[in-house]
Amino acid sequence: MVDSVALVDLDKIVSLCKRRGFIFQSSEIYGGLGSVWDYGPLGVELKNNVKSAWWRTMVWGRDDMVGLDAAILMHPNVWRASGHVESFTDPLVECKDCHQRWRADHLTEGKCPECGGELTEPRMFNLMFKTFVGPVEEEAAVVYLRPETAQGIFVNFANILTTTRRKLPFGVAQIGKAFRNEITTGGFIFRTREFEIMEIEFFVKPGEDERWHELWTEECLKWYTGLGVSRERLRVRRHEARELAHYSKATCDIEYHFPWGWGEIQGIANRTDYDLKAHSSYSGAALTYFDEDTGQHVTPYVIEPSAGVDRAVLTFLIDAYTEEEAPTATGGTERRVVLKLHPVLAPVKVAILPLSRNEKLLPLSREVHDIVRRSGVINGLVQYDDAQSIGRRYRRQDEIGTPLCVTIDFESLEDNAVTIRERDSMAQVRVPIADLVGELQRRLGV
Ligand code: GAP
């Protein structure tokens, strides 16, 4: 069951993101570049928080994981060996009337969704972007912008094994940009041509792969719910045989119920020994593991949890978006928009708000801002805001998901205490300034 709140209007999210500085269209002043987006001052905080929450859980939180940051540009043979040059394709059709292009496998009827026109026969279109290394634009200098980060891990397998002396099972995690020349894009930041992936290649002994596939699917699901995503708006969908990527024996997708329906936010694939064997035979390098128990060299199997950063950001934004009635100072009610983001993800952790711009309040307010900001324990932005009425400032902080506001009023000048206001309950409590940082830290849980 999916409740009605899941069906929030995507236009409202897009408009909030633009209005508050989360996400802007790329190159907007030139009319924009199709399906490429820029993260603004709040967006970059949110996105960084998503990535560091993932790294903290998947790398720091485990003792069977190491990290990697491989380059985007790789030797072109990487993509020949991996099968991407031949198989990383989508079926492209074109409308004979309006010349709009579509992915044939995304169409339910055999005609143009735009004008109803007749479509051409499908032809396979490779999604990898090409560029050139060096000053000569010739076939010999072609390299690709990586369409996934995984291959950087496979080609470094021997380096990682010898430098870390890991035993199976162990994983390598990586976060980075990927590029795909998608035929059809859309859903705001859901399907774009430049995006980021948080990816793990988890190496296991052959025969233990199916158990680890199940375990990782559960682990990944827990990561989203642990950061507040509603369980009923998430589901796990197993791929049918015809959907499987060229390297996969089995894949489970974690899907979120987006305003337009269920959509993949993460895949967990059983890549078998496909990639290590392919790179081994293409490069001639030995990419095996010596199993001390059996005295044999084996090619490990790989379980690959692969999550889109941008899709995670969109999921957290949509899931947190709430509209509700809130009391006003004059005894009435008004509609407030609240982003009920988990404190770990919130772009601004604490807002410091003097009751008004009255100059008597300013020195103490600035001092409180300095104390909290410089404490070094809040682990995120501490924002000072004295523009407009206090009510409007609370609404603004609610709309960007700030979990806690601290208000300095005239009484504060007498009693050296301030008010903490909680975003979701709007409950207020008075706290001595001397205890403020500890109290904020406790409430944020960061
Ligand atoms: N290495 C495996 C791999 O790349 P994938 O399912 O093609 O698997 C992984 O991509 C994740 O990357 C997806 O689950 C999705 O979250 C994200 N993703 C894929 N294509 C995307 C696109 N065009 N725009 C934004 N995110 C995308």
Side-chain angles (χ1 to χ4, degrees):
M1 272 296 286
V2 174
D3 63 83
S4 57
V5 189
L7 303 175
V8 51
D9 186 350
L10 185 65
D11 289 344
K12 287 187 178 175
I13 303 287
V14 177
S15 142
L16 188 153
C17 283
K18 161 104 177 138
R19 202 171 61 248
R20 295 299 187 197
F22 281 89
I23 299 168
F24 309 125
Q25 164 97 68
S26 159
S27 320
E28 194 181 350
I29 60 167
Y30 288 101
L33 178 66
S35 297
V36 184
W37 298 89
D38 296 340
Y39 285 79
L42 293 185
V44 67
E45 296 291 335
L46 172 59
K47 194 181 187 197
N48 283 344
N49 291 343
V50 167
K51 290 188 281 185
S52 61
W54 186 86
W55 195 266
R56 217 173 297 143
T57 305
M58 302 299 173
V59 183
W60 296 353
R62 303 178 61 105
D63 64 359
D64 54 4
M65 196 75 79
V66 296
L68 180 74
D69 183 14
I72 288 173
L73 299 179
M74 302 179 78
H75 194 288
N77 280 352
V78 168
W79 306 108
R80 295 192 185 104
S82 68
H84 282 78
V85 171
E86 203 183 334
S87 307
F88 197 58
T89 52
D90 280 335
L92 170 75
V93 288
E94 187 173 330
C95 174
K96 290 181 180 170
D97 294 337
C98 71
H99 299 289
Q100 183 103 302
R101 289 173 175 172
W102 305 96
R103 247 179 86 168
D105 57 332
H106 280 180
L107 302 179
T108 44
E109 293 173 29
K111 55 186 184 188
C112 175
E114 193 71 15
C115 72
E118 195 188 333
L119 299 168
T120 59
E121 283 301 307
R123 69 181 169 88
M124 295 318 274
F125 172 80
N126 196 295
L127 300 185
M128 285 196 293
F129 280 100
K130 282 183 188 171
T131 187
F132 302 92
V133 165
V136 190
E137 294 194 7
E138 59 177 35
E139 206 43 41
V142 163
V143 290
Y144 301 96
L145 300 188
R146 66 180 178 198
E148 61 170 12
T149 64
Q151 299 304 325
I153 299 178
F154 296 129
V155 300
N156 276 299
F157 177 74
N159 283 336
I160 292 170
L161 201 58
T162 44
T163 52
T164 64
R165 309 176 77 82
R166 287 275 159 173
K167 302 265 174 276
L168 290 182
F170 75 93
V172 184
Q174 175 164 222
I175 302 177
K177 289 265 186 180
F179 303 83
R180 295 183 191 176
N181 199 1
E182 300 277 4
I183 299 166
T184 46
T185 54
F188 191 27
I189 54 171
F190 181 82
R191 191 179 306 281
T192 56
R193 297 197 167 100
E194 174 177 343
F195 56 98
E196 261 185 287
I197 313 191
M198 308 182 279
E199 211 154 46
I200 293 169
E201 306 305 321
F202 196 79
F203 300 98
V204 303
K205 289 186 183 171
E208 294 182 2
D209 50 311
E210 290 182 11
R211 187 172 66 88
W212 277 104
H213 191 212
E214 271 175 41
L215 285 173
W216 270 110
T217 305
E218 279 309 307
E219 260 327 278
C220 295
L221 197 56
K222 249 183 13 210
W223 185 73
Y224 296 98
T225 53
L227 286 170
V229 178
S230 330
R231 179 62 186 88
E232 67 273 20
R233 295 182 216 168
L234 291 165
R235 74 176 186 190
V236 176
R237 191 181 68 80
R238 218 180 159 82
H239 279 210
E240 291 174 26
R242 61 176 173 79
E243 293 177 84
L244 291 173
H246 61 275
Y247 49 72
S248 172
K249 165 181 164 186
T251 296
C252 291
D253 282 349
I254 297 180
E255 297 186 334
Y256 181 74
H257 196 270
F258 287 101
W260 60 87
W262 292 99
E264 170 194 344
I265 53 174
Q266 157 143 35
I268 301 105
N270 183 342
R271 282 181 93 126
T272 69
D273 52 6
Y274 177 91
D275 300 271
L276 289 179
K277 280 197 167 151
H279 285 303
S280 190
S281 72
Y282 220 92
S283 67
L287 300 179
T288 53
Y289 170 86
F290 181 68
D291 187 344
E292 284 167 357
D293 298 337
T294 61
Q296 288 189 329
H297 288 273
V298 291
T299 305
Y301 267 46
V302 174
I303 304 304
E304 180 194 62
S306 177
V309 176
D310 312 80
R311 288 193 191 174
V313 167
L314 187 59
T315 300
F316 290 124
L317 281 170
I318 291 176
D319 208 72
Y321 184 91
T322 317
E323 286 181 20
E324 58 189 29
E325 292 297 317
T328 59
T330 52
T333 61
E334 65 178 5
R335 201 141 184 82
R336 75 165 184 152
V337 171
V338 199
L339 272 189
K340 295 190 173 175
L341 288 169
H342 190 289
V344 160
L345 301 177
V348 176
K349 306 292 182 210
V350 180
I352 309 291
L353 314 175
L355 187 65
S356 70
R357 268 192 173 159
N358 186 304
E359 57 186 41
K360 287 197 185 124
L361 292 177
L362 295 191
L364 183 62
S365 303
R366 287 284 180 198
E367 194 186 324
V368 170
H369 184 219
D370 286 347
I371 292 170
V372 178
R373 200 178 74 249
R374 292 182 183 154
S375 68
V377 297
I378 297 301
N379 208 16
L381 274 187
V382 179
Q383 198 172 73
Y384 182 89
D385 185 6
D386 64 4
Q388 300 181 311
S389 75
I390 187 73
R392 291 180 80 141
R393 278 179 281 154
Y394 281 148
R395 294 291 169 268
R396 182 156 67 226
Q397 295 298 336
D398 288 343
E399 211 185 12
I400 64 171
T402 307
L404 300 173
C405 291
V406 173
T407 310
I408 296 96
D409 55 22
F410 290 99
E411 244 182 281
S412 306
L413 305 175
E414 309 296 323
D415 65 0
N416 264 313
V418 291
T419 304
I420 298 179
R421 173 201 184 258
E422 268 189 6
R423 176 193 68 200
D424 298 350
S425 64
M426 293 186 285
Q428 305 202 355
V429 346
R430 196 97 184 141
V431 178
I433 293 173
D435 301 340
L436 180 62
V437 169
E439 192 54 32
L440 293 172
Q441 207 183 355
R442 190 183 68 73
R443 285 167 185 268
L444 290 170
V446 292

